[in-house]
Amino acid sequence: MPAPTDPAPATPARGGRRLRSAVITLALGGVLFAVGALGLAPQQTPTVASGPDTPRSTDATEGLRIRVRKLPTDPDGWSALGMAYVQQARSTSDAATYHRARTALRKSLALRPAGNFTAETGMGALESARHHFAEALTWARRATAANPYSAPAQGVLADALTQLGRYEDSYAAVQRMTDLRPDSSALARASYTWELRGNTARARDLMNKSLQAAGTPTEKAFALTHLATLALETGDPRTALDLAGTGLEALPGDAALLEARARAHTALG
């Protein structure tokens, strides 16, 4: 895989696009929503029955609510629930869900005030999703100090640095994340570092690798959203429409995919 910090322009290309808010919440939706990445095996989370159009994040959120009701003093359960709420808000654009995420993460921090890098990572993800990037950076630094080997924490750090315009520092954080675990979320972030540098071909290649590595509908939907966006930005709305449609099959109702599909329809007249 091309290293995201290979020699390239140090700043975004002239006219380069600002980091879209979906990028922040994406990777959160990718690595951070995968509870296994936070030290909780997926099979430990009970699930509930759902219809074919129910987002999987809703199932996971309900399962985690059951968990914290049974184990109300478990800080890991509360941090995982907070992450699930962040992901749910990303998919539904429901701002009220962020309040529930904050409540769950604060509960985890109250139960384990020191060294609780999972909840600190979650707070960083939450603040990024709310566009409070300075606060996100503070939480991400706490999380990476508590656990320098946490790939999700490095991802949240990279997101905050990017949004604050500290591109070289963000590229380094993405490289550390990729070195720790080159999964779908890390590859997606690596893709964006090249998009910022104006190298669309390399960005597309890495995002396709992110899609191939996707292990959940959320990760797949995220990669397809950004592949669709890249197609739109390079004058190929028909491909963008097809990619958005494929993503909506995996995650119906996803706000970012719906926006990408609408933009493609608009470009096609």
Side-chain angles (χ1 to χ4, degrees), residues 53 55 91-93 248 251-258:
D53 295 331
S91 297
T92 63
S93 297
L248 287 166
L251 202 65
D254 181 85
L257 284 166
L258 289 170

Side-chain angles (χ1 to χ4, degrees), residues 5-269:
T5 52
D6 283 349
T11 57
R14 182 172 299 176
R17 296 157 296 277
R18 294 186 55 164
L19 183 62
R20 295 172 295 274
S21 59
V23 170
I24 293 293
T25 51
L26 137 127
L28 309 176
V31 168
L32 299 181
F33 181 61
V35 290
L38 298 177
L40 298 172
Q43 63 266 27
Q44 290 178 310
T45 303
T47 58
V48 297
S50 63
D53 295 331
T54 301
R56 191 165 299 186
S57 60
T58 302
D59 295 346
T61 302
E62 177 58 28
L64 289 165
R65 282 199 296 262
I66 293 171
R67 176 191 174 114
V68 297
R69 283 198 295 267
K70 291 181 177 178
L71 302 169
T73 60
D74 175 22
D76 294 323
W78 284 105
S79 63
L81 177 60
M83 279 297 190
Y85 279 135
V86 172
Q87 169 58 20
Q88 184 178 332
R90 188 205 75 85
S91 297
T92 63
S93 297
D94 178 13
T97 308
Y98 289 128
H99 176 72
R100 291 190 283 274
R102 183 181 179 85
T103 299
L105 292 167
R106 287 290 187 185
K107 178 68 172 178
S108 177
L109 288 164
L111 290 166
R112 185 188 292 155
N116 191 345
F117 76 93
T118 56
E120 291 163 352
T121 300
M123 288 297 296
L126 173 62
E127 295 300 343
S128 278
R130 298 173 64 216
H131 292 193
H132 297 166
F133 302 115
E135 292 86 346
L137 180 59
T138 298
W139 283 110
R141 282 175 168 164
R142 287 179 59 176
T144 55
N147 185 353
Y149 303 104
S150 168
Q154 295 292 341
V156 175
L157 177 65
D159 293 337
L161 289 167
T162 300
Q163 284 285 18
L164 291 169
R166 298 174 57 176
Y167 299 109
E168 288 299 328
D169 290 340
S170 75
Y171 299 161
V174 170
Q175 185 65 68
R176 288 193 296 272
M177 182 185 188
T178 306
D179 291 342
L180 286 165
R181 189 170 62 222
D183 61 4
S184 180
S185 184
L187 290 166
R189 282 185 173 88
S191 168
Y192 196 71
T193 69
W194 287 108
E195 189 180 351
L196 282 171
R197 292 158 164 152
N199 192 330
T200 304
R202 178 163 275 186
R204 184 182 295 109
D205 176 62
L206 283 167
M207 193 60 75
N208 273 310
K209 290 180 179 179
S210 174
L211 176 62
Q212 294 166 13
T216 68
T218 300
E219 291 175 334
K220 181 178 180 181
F222 177 84
L224 287 166
T225 297
H226 289 280
L227 285 169
T229 300
L230 286 169
L232 283 167
E233 292 171 349
T234 54
D236 189 0
R238 176 59 61 184
T239 295
L241 184 62
D242 291 343
L243 289 165
T246 299
L248 287 166
E249 291 175 6
L251 202 65
D254 181 85
L257 284 166
L258 289 170
E259 179 185 353
R261 185 176 67 178
R263 291 178 60 200
H265 277 304
T266 299
L268 290 166

